Amino acid sequence: MSSASNLAVPMVLWGRYAPTHCISAILMTADMKNIVTGCNDGQICIWDLNENWQLYPRSMLFGHTTAISCLALGSDNPLTSYVVSASENGEMCLWDITDGRCIEHTKMSIVHTDINAYRFRSSKELRLVCNGYYPEIHVIDPLSFELLWSLCSKLAPDWISACCVLRPVKREDDVVLAVSNSGTVKVWTLTSEPKTKSVYEDESKQIRCLNAQTLTCCPYNQRTVLIVCSKYWQIYDAGDFTLLCSESNRVGERWAGGDFISVDRVIVWSNDGKGYLYKLPTNLLKGKAITSASPDSPDYHRQHQPTSPHAYYILDLYAEQSLVCSPAMMFFRSEGETAPRRLLLRGDSEGRVVIWKLPEVSERQMTLVRQESFDRLPALPPRCKTTLQEVWDSLYRPPAGVLDGLCDENRQSLHISSTIYIPSQGKLVCGRINGTIVIVPATQSVMLQLLTTKTLKADNIPTKILQGHDGRVTCLLYPFNESTRYEPQHLLSGGADFSVILWDMNSGYKIHTFTVHGGELTQMLVPPGNCNTRILSAVCSVASDHSVALLSMKERKCIMLAGRHLFPVQTIRWRPLDDFMVVSCSDGTVYVWQMETGHLDRVVHGITAEEILNNCDENATPMESLTNPSLTLAQALKRRNLATFKNLAQQKLQQQQAAAQHQQQQLTQRPPPEMLKPTGYPLLIQGVRTNTRDPDSHVLFFDTEALIVQLLTEEYSTMSPGELEARGLIGMTEDQLIKSSGGLELSDTQQKLMGFIAKAKEKAENVGQKIQARAETAGLVPVQTGGRLTPTRMSASPSRRSNTKPDGLVVNDNLTLEIAQFFMSCLHAWGLDPDLDRLCVNKLGLLKPQCPISFGLLSRQGHMSLMLPGWHKRVCQEELVGISGDIGKTTLADQARTAAMKGMDKGTADESSKKTLLAQRSGSVPFDVEHLLFSDGDLESELRHNTSSEDQKAASRPPLSALQEETRIFSAKARWKISSGVTTQHLLSVISVANTLMGMSHASFIFGKQSRSRRKGNSQFTNHHGIIMNETDSDAGSEDEDSVSILQAQIKQGWSLLAALHCVLLPELVGPAHYQSPQLEMLARRWQDRCLEIREAAQALLLAELRRIGPEGRKAIIDEWSPYLPTYVDPQHSLLSDPQRGEEDEEEEDDEQMLAGDSPAHKVSVSFESRRKQATAIVMLGVIGAEFGHEIEPNRRKVEEIKKGKRNVQEGFSLTNYNLSRHTSKALTFLLLTPPSPRLPSNTPIRRAAIDLLGRGFTVWEPYLDVSSVLLGLLELCVDADRLLPSMSYGLPLTPAADACRSARHALSLIATARPPALIITMAKEVARYNALAQNTQSQHAQILNSVLVRAKQEILHVIELLVEKMPNDVADLICEVMDVTMHCLEITQLKAKGLQELFPAVCRFSMVSYCGQTKRIWVGAKNGGLALYEMKQHAKCQLIPGHHGPIIAVSVNPDGKFLATFSHVDSKLKFWQTASSSLFGIGSQQTKCIRQYTTAPCQVTPVTNILKLVRLVWIDNRTVVLLTVDGTETKYSV
């Protein structure tokens, strides 16, 4: 099963100790706003630098598995901040540092030690010039990591130790200069983009310089080159590489690198992290830039010129502690319009970042220094420095750990050394350094840390502590997570005391201790499910003495101990069928063990070892290598739904498939509707640490889709069959369901769930307006203030106080609702709409955060970024300064708005507070007085809530703390500023979950809120959702029900307001300065997400965003994406190219979504990237075209535009400029019709999106489409609709096939209602073509029997029925064509037996259709005045008889079938016909003759008259007919 891309939202609890960050590489971005540091454990940290030289850590990026060797810029476009990182095992990643998304990554077989980003003159794009442990210089494309060409050596090839690229001033080429390890200098001159893959050097020369650290060419004078080696640094003349001067190292230090500050000054830094500034002797330098080098200058002939460089400044930190390893340093120069900046950056092993700003020193100051003694150089203190731990300590409250305040020892929480989460029970198990294991309910313990809750206290959270290990607990395993064959109460722990203990989790009893290893345990894992039975009950444990054991749970003993490995164990794989366990070690050797006997089968090295490993069972679990724990995180995430649950999911799936096949065999029943079982859990918690010595931090992954599915499933499981029936969810046939929903395909759970109202499905285009309307009905009326809309509540109903629960809180069984409560509380945008916040707290039961929350972002293949605490400080400071500074300048309206935003109640703001504000305005009072920002009213309400709790009995509460103020700014402003990727994920999650909850019946999180009309004698029981229901006495019952239903309505409205806030009002309220708008391409890729709620949220958001940016914004998007339309793209990568070239990766939807459509990491994925771009472009332009394209009738449009100020037609999709509509429609049709291929499988989301958009924008695409092939393609997908689409889907996503079917059905109904004539005429033509074929073929041809028109008969009838329902006039105009199609779809034999009225009543509503039960014929009056006769024969054509001079609007056959009356209002004639009575045996003429005609009184017809209801013909006996007109006159006529 392909797991669809999950919408996962990570949050992290860092704990009070900052992670280790031993910096190995450092980089500053060109705009000087960010610093990027890479560390020895493989993480990357991004720092923000503001104008006041303050450093804030922004986020930490996980994804590399070994130390970072170098960093470089990935783009020179100021709008995209990309950084490339390379690690010591050849991995390379391209990161977007605004939000830490990994855009592209690869693993190379070579290791880079240095990367320069450089734009060659001949190339349009930036290139990476890399050197490292290989003899060439590679030039790589940063966006795709494709190797473009290499610079190779003919003479003495050797590893390149340093290189630089320079651009000669007056020449049109680039020169690459490099020095090899053995001291050969090489020069390559590149005039144009090389045609071949390898370019050889132009010249090379041996110099005396071994293992150079850096090589730099002076940008101000290209004749001077600086080469730094560890013992000395040297200046060379670039012309012929003669040595000009050199300087050896200081005692006890080695040189680490250097650069030029100006023409004659250099900076060189040492491995101690000090920088030295040197002045070069100018007389020795060559080049035009040096004045003293020309004989004309007076300096040229001066005496006593210095011959050696001399130091004049030292940059030092004077830190006491010595460093573990030498720091990473970098020199940065910015050549801006303002004064050029020269900075030296350093990052060291303590995670400290230091920046020195280089001083400007004049010649005169230098001579003074020269006269002083050499030892006392003037020293320069750093401009700024900080470490992660210092940031941690500067916070108002240290970042929370998951167990803080629970089972602490001596008021201190102990370090957590290992963590495991048990999703089935919602328990978190943590092993600590003192050997104890703590088991707590996960959501409650996390809520306690992050949210302000009145009811939850540390004392009432049930914790269990297991004591048994001596020394720290190093690893935990809960085998039942991996496979159901284990006992659900068993828990295993391994410790530093070499033992493995088996626990009974529920009772806390120690069942058994295994002591077989001779080192501390590092890992425990579960063997795969197809091993032999004895192994199945065992688990595998690995220890640091390099031994691996299989421990049997059943026999309570060690079955096998494999202990001859010489190096640490890295991976364990299985060959269950051969009974082999394959162990690979860190030195690359592979040991093959027999599990049953414990024999060592063989030891292999090299390529055979790799082949054996690759041919092992797929579910090999990656071992956590001892050096780097973050490895497992990255790799576990790569295993789709976190490896641990993989087996479980597979087993469930196999059982399900088996069951499905079983049901298929029993064909008597209707085949089962197709469903996807969800495999995910709504919440996963993973311990993460950057270094083995650190305590665990905890990342919480919320899977939105799993949460929605789980909520809906539970909602249904609590309903009785009666309730389901009452809601119309079961007991109706598919057809009735279709009719009851107004003919639109029954979309989805949400509609069926919609509470007590049967709510028809909203189309996504008006979701935005509807939400806005909902907001207005709820009393949110947009008020125009200063040109901006801000909602203000007309009257907030006084909220009833919630009775808080007593202290003896039991653990709430309902895990899913708790997770949803926590999730929504963290994601809701608090502080933007005070009324809504109050509603959320009082009615919906959300809880406010008590501190800023660190979110994260998952990107491709398990790469993730986690926000660091302290980043928000920057925004908060700006905000507070902004508040204090703005008050003086603002208008009254603005003041009112800020007052409202801050929740300041103008009514209660008394004189004193106004004075203070004035004082602040003039700056006489500092703005740290936080309580001014909150009104007394707010404090009172806070007090009201808190009266119950003990500690706040005193009514005088302290003013709101700085922490609360910071939290408010964070959730209202800073959060939305992180990045567009994060905004997208949060909004999608919030809106989709809020919509789900809105559709549920008991969706409030106030557990146990009791009804007010409770009597003493009431028995009370709790329903499944933890809401206490009361069985009251009969007389109170009705009142109770009323209050419950009122409460329900309020709750529903609350959720809908919440969704409205996030979907429509958010950009307005947060303000453009702080709002990073959602990423349109992520939304476009989710246009047809597997999960319906997410799909609808994405569509609503995308349309709201497109509306918000207006025509100019949309134009920009069209310009950005149209080049990616497949018709413009290089045909090799085009989606529309021939599918013969098989490629293994499919066009799946996404990369952000964490895992879908992974391209294999080892292949260059340029075609994958490009095809994903094309898919996105098709959806994006399809949406813009469909929603903002033209309406076809130009004249009507103009009028309407003038009338309504109608939306502008988007350029490129208009009637005059239609190139984009043409190309887009071409691409959409291609996606619909092309047969499945490896490159574009059937039923992918991109195809569903194409189907959906063809339907939505049919009026725009129609002129460029081959309508018949599109319709037939859609019908093809609908063939099995009744089998595939369940009447009831219990909130589970449908299978891709069923989903495609549902989309196609919807598209057909949209096309039918948008352009009825197109649909009817096209279908009639197809039927005629089919009938002609059928009559002409001699035998029954297989092709004819298999035609779509035959297989999709039901679906065609559905569509016609829908048209009759919605568009009767259009159907009447083409009634003959409709009848042709209908006759084709109905079974002739059944028609003869049952008659038309019974088989297809819809068409009998028309007065111009008449069926004769006697002669088995159907008569139809056409619009052109002809009379059509249908015989009941297979493939027969209808006979047309000329009748009237205008449309026939009534036809009726008399009871015995001999006579027929027809009427047309245009020529006002009523005609009687004798139906052809055939002579004996059907021989002779069969003519229908007109035997009489009457002229009737003319009917008054105005343009608004409904022709269909104008007249009716009724036979009262065999010879007399009555003409009934709409105004009530009756006239009799007889034959």
Side-chain angles (χ1 to χ4, degrees), residues 1324-1337 1344 1349 1380 1383-1384 1434-1437:
K1325 275 186 186 161
E1326 286 300 319
V1327 168
R1329 181 183 302 166
Y1330 168 81
N1331 284 341
L1333 262 175
Q1335 282 169 333
N1336 294 343
T1337 39
I1344 289 188
L1349 291 173
D1380 287 343
M1383 289 297 289
H1384 161 77
Q1434 201 78 35
H1435 311 311
K1437 289 175 77 169

Side-chain angles (χ1 to χ4, degrees), residues 286-304:
K286 305 283 190 288
K288 294 206 177 66
I290 313 280
T291 46
S292 58
S294 70
D296 312 338
S297 80
D299 290 351
Y300 188 69
H301 300 290
R302 283 202 3 232
Q303 304 303 311
H304 63 263

Side-chain angles (χ1 to χ4, degrees), residues 1078-1143:
Q1079 220 172 19
L1080 293 177
E1081 58 182 297
M1082 277 168 83
L1083 294 173
R1085 288 195 188 126
R1086 290 200 176 275
W1087 186 258
Q1088 282 290 314
D1089 193 85
R1090 179 176 81 162
C1091 171
L1092 220 109
E1093 273 71 18
I1094 295 177
R1095 178 186 308 185
E1096 279 161 12
Q1099 294 179 357
L1101 259 177
L1102 180 56
L1103 293 171
E1105 190 58 25
L1106 285 172
R1107 252 180 231 111
R1108 186 178 76 89
I1109 58 182
E1112 291 73 34
R1114 294 196 289 271
K1115 177 88 178 75
I1117 285 168
I1118 291 177
D1119 294 344
E1120 178 190 350
W1121 285 101
S1122 53
Y1124 293 111
L1125 272 181
T1127 34
Y1128 298 137
V1129 173
D1130 161 18
Q1132 218 184 350
H1133 301 317
S1134 172
L1135 269 177
L1136 308 191
S1137 60
D1138 63 323
Q1140 264 53 56
R1141 296 172 55 246
E1143 295 228 5

Side-chain angles (χ1 to χ4, degrees), residues 533-544:
T533 45
R534 188 171 181 213
I535 308 295
L536 280 185
S537 65
V539 296
C540 169
S541 59
V542 184
S544 58

Side-chain angles (χ1 to χ4, degrees), residues 11 44 75 437 522 690 746 777 833 905 972 1000 1053 1153 1198 1287 1358 1388 1457 1488:
M11 293 178 202
I44 294 170
S75 146
I437 297 170
T522 58
T690 56
L746 242 195
T777 53
D833 179 344
D905 206 3
M1000 288 171 55
Q1053 196 187 25
Q1153 290 44 21
K1198 293 268 167 28
S1287 58
H1358 270 313
I1388 299 288
T1488 301

Side-chain angles (χ1 to χ4, degrees), residues 627-641:
T627 51
N628 179 16
S630 77
L631 183 67
T632 34
L633 182 70
Q635 286 181 338
L637 284 171
K638 282 179 196 176
R639 300 250 174 306
R640 295 284 149 120
N641 253 334

Side-chain angles (χ1 to χ4, degrees), residues 11-21 43-45 57-62 388-389 392 395 398-404 416 449-450 633 688-690 694-700 852-856 864-871:
M11 293 178 202
V12 59
L13 289 163
W14 284 107
R16 61 183 60 231
Y17 301 101
T20 307
H21 189 64
Q43 289 81 35
I44 294 170
C45 187
R58 183 187 185 90
S59 53
M60 192 171 270
L61 314 181
F62 293 80
L388 285 177
Q389 190 59 55
W392 249 248
L395 296 173
V402 75
L403 291 182
D404 288 359
I416 297 175
Q449 310 303 337
L450 296 181
L633 182 70
V688 57
R689 47 174 110 167
T690 56
D694 291 356
D696 273 5
S697 303
H698 294 86
V699 187
L700 288 72
I853 295 169
S854 297
F855 291 104
M864 83 174 168
S865 80
L866 298 176
M867 301 282 304
L868 290 165
W871 170 80

Side-chain angles (χ1 to χ4, degrees), residues 125-136:
E125 303 295 326
L126 190 76
R127 301 283 180 240
L128 303 176
V129 182
C130 314
N131 62 292
Y133 301 150
Y134 44 90
E136 305 90 13

